[in-house]
């Protein structure tokens, strides 16, 4: 994970969470609207809400965050639940936190993009669809806020060959695609971790 605040701002409005749950791992990336203290507050309210409900499904979690964020500036966010026993990922998003899934299998589509729905958590909750994807050992989940140019995912591809190290990939994406004038967060997850 690589995370930088907007230049000149001590606090970032972006935040992320990796939370172990009964069946696997809950992953979230949140971008509080605007930047600075109030964006930070909104994002961290969402993270605190997720912490209280680690086992709920992603749609319910987004709705719980919506309720919790009423009265804040609001946020956009994407969530994924990784369930290794089922080799499955379920994901959903409100607003423009990008999600990309990189398959390690040569026969699979090299990458899939999360379809998110326009809206603001805490302000305007859209009709939402949750998607399910196969997720196998070696696959990589990438979430990024709009502090990265959306072109970050072009050319991204996992295996065959040695798996890209998640932290190396996150650093590379940030280095090549951060806009530099907004909070920026990119998270790369492999689950279970390699090795
Ligand atoms: Mn942003």
């Amino acid at each position: 994970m690589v995370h930088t605040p907007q230049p000149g701002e001590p606090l970032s409005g972006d935040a992320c969470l990796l939370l172990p749950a009964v069946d696997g791992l809950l992953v979230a990336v949140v971008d509080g609207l605007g930047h600075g203290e109030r964006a930070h507050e909104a994002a961290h309210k969402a993270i605190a809400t997720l912490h209280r409900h680690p086992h709920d499904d992603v749609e319910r979690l987004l709705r719980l965050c919506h309720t919790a964020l009423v009265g804040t500036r609001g946020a956009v966010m994407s969530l994924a639940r990784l369930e290794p026993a089922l080799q499955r990922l379920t994901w959903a998003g409100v607003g423009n936190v990008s999600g990309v899934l990189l398959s390690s299998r040569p026969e699979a589509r090299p990458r899939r993009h999360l379809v998110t729905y326009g809206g603001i958590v805490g302000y305007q909750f859209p009709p939402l669809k949750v998607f399910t994807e196969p997720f196998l050992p070696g696959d990589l989940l990438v979430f990024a806020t709009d502090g990265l140019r959306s072109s970050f995912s072009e050319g991204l591809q996992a295996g065959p060959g040695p798996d890209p190290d998640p932290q190396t990939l996150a650093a590379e994406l940030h280095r090549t695609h951060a806009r530099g004038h907004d909070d920026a967060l990119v998270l790369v997850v492999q689950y279970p971790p390699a090795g």
Side-chain angles (χ1 to χ4, degrees), residues 72-129:
T72 71
R73 192 177 266 191
V76 293
M77 61 193 289
S78 291
L79 289 182
R81 179 174 293 289
L82 307 182
E83 294 166 290
L86 301 172
Q87 301 201 322
R88 170 174 99 166
L89 168 157
T90 49
W91 57 352
V94 175
N96 66 350
V97 173
S98 302
V100 185
L101 189 51
L102 303 175
S103 173
S104 55
R105 287 150 295 139
E107 73 280 9
R109 246 188 310 162
R111 63 171 188 259
R112 279 154 287 167
H113 292 259
L114 172 62
V115 176
T116 64
Y117 291 83
I120 299 170
V121 176
Y123 185 69
Q124 188 172 46
F125 199 86
L128 187 73
K129 193 164 175 224

Side-chain angles (χ1 to χ4, degrees), residues 17-75:
L17 173 76
L18 296 172
L19 190 61
V22 267
D23 300 326
L25 187 71
L26 177 67
V27 182
V29 169
V30 187
D31 180 353
L33 258 61
H35 52 87
E37 192 176 336
R38 292 185 59 207
H40 181 84
E41 176 206 13
H44 284 266
K45 240 183 191 171
I47 296 291
T49 302
L50 298 175
H51 262 292
R52 287 195 296 274
H53 304 273
H55 310 301
D56 285 29
D57 67 67
V58 295
E59 178 164 2
R60 179 165 154 78
L61 287 170
L62 286 168
R63 292 183 185 282
L64 287 167
C65 287
H66 175 65
T67 305
L69 265 62
V70 168
T72 71
R73 192 177 266 191

Side-chain angles (χ1 to χ4, degrees), residues 14 31-32 34 145-147 182-183:
D14 291 352
D31 180 353
T145 66
D146 65 355
D182 189 6
D183 302 328

